[in-house]
Amino acid sequence: MGETRVRWREWGEAAFREAQEQDKPILLSISATWCHWCHVMDRGIPGDPVHTGTYSDPEIAELINTYFVPIRVDTDRRPDINARYNMGGWPTTVFLTPDGEILTGATYIPPMQMRQVLLQVLQYYRSHRSEIQRRAQEIARRRQEASRPVARPGAQLSWTIPMHLIGLIARAYDPVYGGFGEAPKFPHPEACLLLLVEYVRGGCRDERLAEMVRRTLHGMAEGGMYDHVEGGWFRYSTTRDWSLPHFEKMLEDHARLIPLYLYAAEVLEEERFREAAVRALEYIQRTLYDPEREVFWGSQDADEEYYALSRRERAMRPPPAVDRTVYTNWNSQMALALLIAADILEEDRLQEMALRNLDAVWEWAFDASTGALVHYMDIHGERADAKGVPPLLGDQIHYARAALAAFQRTGERRFMERALRLRPYLESALADPEGGGFFDRPEDPHAIGALRIRQKPLEDNAAAAEFYLTLYDLTGDLRAREIAERTLLAFEQEYVKYDFAAAPYGLAVYRAITEPVRVHVIGPREDLETRRLLRAAWHGDPFHRVVIPMDPRQDAPAIQAQGFPLDGWPAAYVCVGTRCLPPARMPAELVERLRMSGR
């Protein structure tokens, strides 16, 4: 007879029905393939008598199997569940009523403590029914109130918001080691990006802003947060001085850090930042990229022993496991990062990789029956929709943003068309027509527990606003501009609850209240000189510029409507508001025009 193991169920109606019929509380474990302490809680640390496996303990497993309904969820595959039930980290260990309301919870629980917790929860569940019901109703009410930020009548977007956020970032800044807040210390790349954007806007005169970015990026690139053997960043530091990281490596983090480091290298003239980004790109292509499928895998596992080895010693051991799951949102973010990297590093192959990735993701992830992209597919072909995961906001928005970025750099119409194909789902299934903004998941009358109440995630809504603002700048669609503004206004008071972590919202507001530099590039898209002008059009600002490719063979009416001649191409016109500079016909000439535009 084998050892007793926890009999994990999948999140779904069957598991909750079992809990209701047998009147058992639910033990929900939110885990991750990259999570070291999740593995410790499952299996323990070999040779360590203190950290034995909680769930591999036969007595604990028997208690759980007998008196609870255990459910296991992967946080990357179910971000909607994680957003509602996470207890402050991974693993999350949360006890629920059979209806899915929270009784209590924690993160890592060692075996000795787990025995006591299981018995205490069981006793509380059996003897405090009326109190549990009242508390569940109160939690549901608070959750409902917190989930629906709405645009206030008369509210406006102004410089007050990004300036306030810069103040919050400065208050959280660590002047000794860089970074923001105390340990554990996370990268917060958007906070650095907001500081950089304001530094450039102010004419690069406020050295206080530059120093916050410089010290923070040096800390993350030169301390324990960076893998100095294989390249790339670990997820976060457990210490204030960046010396001891959590060793998992995430595709999402690299998609946000690589463009930041490259832009900072340009603005602050720091070659070390460029080197860190290039080595991180090499790591991503070597470890997380599948050249056959042209997709990026989700993450690489944490392994403290492996990452303590030298280069020679590492070569003698198999590397930590890679989660061979393709996440639509993270692939889209990495595609955007590659497009930006291609501009700054002037490497066509990075752009080509991004375009192939966007094509590959669209091919497997777009579901014509819903008009939306599914969240993930793993190497075995298992898809999110087959597991009951609805199309989520983050996947649609991040792909749509990357698609518009690809269109602006190539003039390839399929990317614009894909972004437009995602709009109906966004606006019919996820938008809040009354309060503004977007919910993370569609309405579902059969949703379980906390999923019954939809949420408006700040970061994804900020990304949505940026998508709609870019769409307006490219097409002149006033409805798109209105949606963007109402999305941002929905958080006009709410953002302060996030403190400096609301930096993505500050960047989106900055984008909304700033007149962008628009570059109209006119010429056949396959023409070499046209492509060179498109590359040069991003010089100096890969984030807040709008580049409008116009092919004279197809876009003649639009070119004439803008007042540009139909001959003499390829040519690029730099415009701010209604003022356009004379045409540039060579990349160097275009770069000079961009300098003249005041950016």
Side-chain angles (χ1 to χ4, degrees):
M1 188 173 178
E3 283 187 1
T4 303
R5 297 286 182 176
V6 177
R7 295 192 296 271
W8 295 109
R9 279 71 154 175
E10 291 188 356
W11 176 282
E13 290 182 14
F16 280 83
R17 184 167 57 249
E18 179 185 348
Q20 292 161 2
E21 290 173 352
Q22 299 182 17
D23 193 22
K24 291 180 179 179
I26 290 167
L27 167 56
L28 173 62
S29 168
I30 303 179
S31 185
T33 59
W34 43 260
C35 169
H36 171 73
W37 286 100
C38 301
H39 305 328
V40 172
M41 200 163 172
D42 278 342
R43 302 185 295 270
I45 300 176
D48 187 336
V50 176
H51 296 111
T52 58
T54 302
Y55 293 129
S56 59
D57 183 298
E59 180 186 341
I60 291 173
E62 184 65 30
L63 274 173
I64 292 172
N65 291 335
T66 302
Y67 299 108
F68 296 82
V69 174
I71 297 176
R72 171 61 61 86
V73 164
D74 181 289
T75 183
D76 296 334
R77 295 191 174 199
R78 292 307 305 257
D80 52 343
I81 295 174
N82 179 70
R84 291 156 172 83
Y85 287 110
N86 193 284
M87 290 285 124
W90 297 274
T92 269
T93 311
V94 57
F95 296 91
L96 311 176
T97 69
D99 291 327
E101 296 299 339
I102 296 173
L103 293 169
T104 188
T107 52
Y108 170 77
I109 304 178
M112 189 67 73
Q113 184 183 345
M114 188 60 149
R115 293 184 184 90
Q116 298 172 343
V117 169
L118 290 169
L119 295 174
Q120 289 169 354
V121 169
L122 196 60
Q123 174 65 25
Y124 175 69
Y125 176 73
R126 288 175 171 175
S127 58
H128 294 78
R129 297 302 180 93
S130 58
E131 179 185 329
I132 288 170
Q133 187 175 12
R134 284 197 306 273
R135 188 162 167 269
Q137 291 171 345
E138 176 61 22
I139 289 173
R141 184 187 64 79
R142 290 202 302 266
R143 191 185 291 132
Q144 182 81 42
E145 291 175 353
S147 69
R148 291 181 175 265
V150 297
R152 293 184 304 122
Q156 292 185 328
L157 301 173
S158 71
W159 282 108
T160 302
I161 293 171
M163 291 302 104
H164 179 216
L165 273 165
I166 287 171
L168 294 175
I169 294 167
R171 189 173 68 184
Y173 172 67
D174 181 347
V176 179
Y177 298 106
F180 311 101
E182 298 293 326
K185 191 173 276 183
F186 286 82
H188 296 290
E190 290 80 15
C192 285
L193 183 56
L194 183 57
L195 296 176
L196 269 184
V197 166
E198 176 56 21
Y199 175 67
V200 172
R201 188 184 75 90
C204 299
R205 289 187 292 269
D206 190 342
E207 278 303 311
R208 181 183 60 108
L209 300 175
E211 179 58 23
M212 284 191 280
V213 176
R214 189 178 285 113
R215 188 176 294 271
T216 297
L217 298 195
H218 272 298
M220 289 194 292
E222 293 166 10
M225 268 278 292
Y226 197 84
D227 184 347
H228 298 283
V229 175
E230 295 179 353
W233 289 273
F234 300 114
R235 189 152 199 238
Y236 68 92
S237 174
T238 63
T239 56
R240 179 187 169 196
D241 64 356
W242 306 108
S243 60
L244 185 61
H246 252 222
F247 287 97
E248 58 269 11
K249 290 181 179 179
M250 312 293 294
L251 179 65
E252 176 193 29
D253 294 334
H254 286 80
R256 297 159 68 193
L257 284 165
I258 287 169
L260 169 65
Y261 267 78
L262 289 174
Y263 185 46
E266 298 277 297
V267 172
L268 303 178
E269 299 180 344
E270 290 271 359
E271 184 59 26
R272 176 71 186 92
F273 298 162
R274 183 186 179 99
E275 292 169 2
V278 168
R279 291 200 62 212
L281 277 167
E282 292 169 353
Y283 160 76
I284 290 292
Q285 294 172 72
R286 184 175 62 249
T287 306
L288 295 185
Y289 183 61
D290 183 332
E292 181 181 341
R293 295 175 178 85
E294 298 178 325
V295 295
F296 297 95
W297 305 123
S299 60
Q300 187 173 25
D301 199 355
D303 184 333
E304 294 181 4
E305 292 182 8
Y306 178 85
Y307 288 115
L309 301 174
S310 68
R311 182 181 300 278
R312 184 181 63 82
E313 291 169 325
R314 280 197 207 180
M316 298 168 66
R317 277 188 53 171
V322 169
D323 174 15
R324 299 191 186 279
T325 306
V326 186
Y327 295 98
T328 297
N329 53 341
W330 294 356
N331 270 256
S332 303
Q333 288 173 285
M334 181 51 69
L336 178 57
L338 288 172
L339 291 170
I340 294 171
D343 295 333
I344 295 175
L345 297 174
E346 298 184 358
E347 289 194 24
D348 289 340
R349 66 178 185 84
L350 296 178
Q351 184 180 103
E352 291 162 5
M353 181 182 290
L355 302 180
R356 291 196 303 270
N357 174 251
L358 289 172
D359 285 340
V361 169
W362 184 266
E363 184 176 346
W364 71 259
F366 184 73
D367 180 355
S369 67
T370 60
L373 297 155
V374 302
H375 178 50
Y376 70 82
M377 181 176 73
D378 68 19
I379 194 171
H380 305 295
E382 179 184 290
R383 288 163 50 107
D385 48 355
K387 290 294 183 178
V389 186
L392 302 174
L393 173 63
D395 301 297
Q396 323 311 315
I397 282 301
H398 287 298
Y399 189 94
R401 285 189 70 198
L404 290 189
F407 169 74
Q408 291 181 82
R409 286 160 172 84
T410 65
E412 295 284 350
R413 292 177 179 274
R414 69 182 183 279
F415 295 113
M416 171 63 81
E417 289 165 359
R418 289 173 189 171
L420 294 175
R421 285 191 74 180
L422 295 174
R423 267 192 82 174
Y425 179 82
L426 284 167
E427 292 168 28
S428 65
L430 299 178
D432 179 358
E434 297 177 2
F438 296 86
F439 295 109
D440 61 338
R441 48 179 284 135
E443 192 76 59
D444 180 3
H446 305 294
I448 297 168
L451 291 180
R452 289 190 291 263
I453 299 173
R454 299 194 291 169
Q455 296 181 352
K456 292 182 184 177
L458 179 68
E459 274 198 49
D460 286 346
N461 271 269
E466 293 212 24
F467 161 66
Y468 277 97
L469 288 167
T470 303
L471 198 57
Y472 163 73
D473 287 326
L474 289 172
T475 66
D477 184 342
L478 292 173
R479 173 67 178 150
R481 173 86 195 184
E482 179 188 338
I483 292 172
E485 290 181 350
R486 281 185 57 76
T487 297
L488 294 173
L489 286 171
F491 295 88
E492 171 254 347
Q493 291 189 310
E494 187 81 5
Y495 80 91
V496 296
K497 298 178 183 177
Y498 296 80
D499 201 3
F500 68 89
Y505 176 73
L507 286 165
V509 172
Y510 173 90
R511 174 81 169 75
I513 60 179
T514 306
E515 183 74 54
V517 173
R518 300 188 319 281
V519 185
H520 299 261
V521 178
I522 302 173
R525 63 174 179 267
E526 70 276 8
D527 185 271
L528 179 60
E529 294 306 316
T530 302
R531 294 205 303 270
R532 287 174 174 167
L533 286 174
L534 285 170
R535 170 64 51 78
W538 294 97
H539 181 85
D541 186 355
F543 295 101
H544 296 101
R545 186 164 293 157
V546 177
V547 178
I548 307 170
M550 307 176 85
D551 192 319
R553 299 166 303 183
Q554 298 166 315
D555 301 316
I559 294 170
Q560 288 180 310
Q562 293 285 343
F564 302 130
L566 283 173
D567 56 0
W569 41 259
Y573 296 83
V574 177
C575 306
V576 180
T578 58
R579 176 176 171 263
C580 296
L581 296 174
R585 305 192 189 281
M586 300 293 292
E589 199 177 9
L590 176 53
V591 169
E592 182 57 32
R593 295 282 191 277
L594 289 167
R595 289 199 188 100
M596 291 171 60
S597 72
R599 298 289 170 140

